[in-house]
Amino acid sequence: MKASSIGILAICVGGTASLAVARQMATPPVIRNVRPVTFPAYNAYRGIARYAPTPAEYARAVGDRAFVMERVTYRSDDLEVYAYLYRPAAPPKGKRLPVVVFNRGSYVRDDFSPEVLMLGNRLARQGYVVVAPMLRGSGGAQGRDEMGGADLHDLMNIVAVIKELPYADPTRLFLYGESRGGIMSLLAAKHDFPARAIAVYGTITDFRSFLADHSPARQVASSIWPGFPANEAEIVESRSAMRWPEKINSPVLLMNGGADSDVSPMQAIQLASALEKLGKRYELKIFYGEKHVLTGRAEERDEETVRWFRRFDEPRSTGH
């Protein structure tokens, strides 16, 4: 046995020496680095109007000194990946705050800090810490994004990051997903992510119908999943919540824009129907006239999410 892994302590009890063997299981911290985020100018961020409709709204969130955003470097598998952290500038002492793990949309991203900022500011004002995994391949991180493959580990491993934040409560975790992030949230639920509740919007729940209805999606599928369409059946099965609704045990709030041309509201409606048949806990809300990320009713979207999360945030007994 190596001395570096085994510690032997001699304890004298009643004149008799006994040996206590203690394994030194010291694990290096998951968090490797934390640095502040510099936000891009309003007009420099493509698609900013979907998240901050006016420069004034964006400026207010950027200038809110009650909160700060940082980029955390952490270990996931054998990779170093990143996550955004939106937290109080002066975290409370002796108190841990509930955490919303926000899963962003789209594929590989260099930066999506303005999107986390706008949503994070609303949630933080309701008492939440917000953590948003960037996922492997994004922000210059190592690894390859498989949109629901090994990149899911980056979401699952965020729990270890949260446990290292002294002001965050790892027993009060919630998943919030936009579009592709909704897929990640439901996949995490399938793999027993310890979420008290989940909220998603604009989420693909059945890849078979989505790929059939969106020829542009089929055209880019091979760049996301090498070997597609030869492995299409496995991709559809593993990433479509409609194929395994029985494995979703956290309460789910399903939201979709009624005028969403990217992801049909039928994707949410059909999953709601499947959850209903299984007696699962869910709510469904279709926002009339709204498009993919519910821009015109973003505040209402986040209010609905907070209401849903609080419904399942009652204290849990620790026993006696």
Side-chain angles (χ1 to χ4, degrees):
M1 295 182 181
K2 295 182 179 180
S4 61
S5 61
I6 300 293
I8 301 177
L9 175 64
I11 306 175
C12 293
V13 181
T16 302
S18 64
L19 294 179
V21 180
R23 291 191 177 273
Q24 296 177 354
M25 300 297 290
T27 303
V30 175
I31 297 176
R32 298 303 180 89
N33 183 48
V34 180
R35 66 172 180 80
V37 169
T38 300
F39 297 106
Y42 184 84
N43 291 328
Y45 189 80
R46 183 179 179 183
I48 185 63
R50 298 207 305 167
Y51 301 93
T54 68
E57 291 180 58
Y58 184 61
R60 279 196 297 272
V62 170
D64 191 340
R65 301 307 175 198
F67 306 98
V68 296
M69 185 184 286
E70 297 163 321
R71 193 177 83 161
V72 175
T73 302
Y74 68 102
R75 293 294 294 180
S76 180
D77 299 337
D78 60 346
L79 306 174
E80 286 197 350
V81 296
Y82 310 118
Y84 292 117
L85 169 63
Y86 193 82
R87 63 168 180 83
K93 294 181 179 180
K95 178 184 178 182
R96 289 179 177 265
L97 302 174
V99 180
V100 173
V101 178
F102 176 66
N103 296 292
R104 50 80 175 176
S106 193
Y107 187 44
V108 174
R109 308 285 296 277
D110 289 331
D111 174 31
F112 57 97
S113 57
E115 301 169 32
V116 179
L117 169 69
M118 302 308 297
L119 174 145
N121 187 259
R122 287 189 286 266
L123 295 180
R125 291 203 159 275
Q126 295 298 323
Y128 294 92
V129 172
V130 178
V131 181
M134 292 187 74
L135 304 179
R136 58 191 61 188
S138 284
Q142 302 167 337
R144 187 180 186 284
D145 189 342
E146 299 172 348
M147 194 178 285
D151 48 293
L152 179 63
H153 299 179
D154 305 342
L155 171 53
M156 303 301 288
N157 289 329
I158 206 70
V159 176
V161 172
I162 293 166
K163 289 180 178 178
E164 292 182 5
L165 303 176
Y167 46 82
D169 190 342
T171 72
R172 300 167 68 198
L173 304 184
F174 302 88
L175 288 169
Y176 195 9
E178 171 191 302
S179 190
R180 177 265 174 87
I183 301 168
M184 301 300 289
S185 298
L186 296 173
L187 277 169
K190 176 185 179 183
H191 291 278
D192 298 321
F193 187 97
R196 291 196 174 198
I198 301 169
V200 299
Y201 56 97
T203 299
I204 302 167
T205 65
D206 181 4
F207 266 94
R208 184 169 300 284
S209 62
F210 177 77
L211 291 171
D213 295 341
H214 292 74
S215 56
R218 293 195 68 86
Q219 293 172 11
V220 300
S222 60
S223 64
I224 298 173
W225 303 299
F228 186 92
N231 55 1
E232 180 175 354
E234 186 278 328
I235 289 168
V236 167
E237 177 67 28
S238 63
R239 291 161 173 80
S240 299
M242 277 296 298
R243 303 303 177 100
W244 30 264
E246 72 282 356
K247 295 183 179 180
I248 302 174
N249 295 314
S250 297
V252 183
L253 170 62
L254 299 165
M255 297 180 284
N256 217 100
D260 187 346
S261 59
D262 294 311
V263 177
S264 168
M266 289 305 300
Q267 295 273 333
I269 292 169
Q270 289 170 356
L271 181 57
S273 178
L275 295 173
E276 172 68 24
K277 291 176 182 177
L278 292 169
K280 299 287 187 176
R281 296 169 293 176
Y282 78 94
E283 280 193 5
L284 171 67
K285 181 163 185 175
I286 306 300
F287 289 71
Y288 172 77
E290 285 298 316
K291 296 184 179 179
H292 191 47
V293 299
L294 311 177
T295 300
R297 295 166 69 180
E299 290 190 17
E300 181 184 349
R301 176 200 70 202
D302 293 343
E303 288 170 358
E304 288 284 344
T305 296
V306 168
R307 174 195 60 77
W308 183 249
F309 289 167
R310 284 182 173 163
R311 183 173 181 180
F312 300 99
D313 197 20
E314 59 279 331
R316 293 178 178 174
S317 173
T318 57
H320 298 282

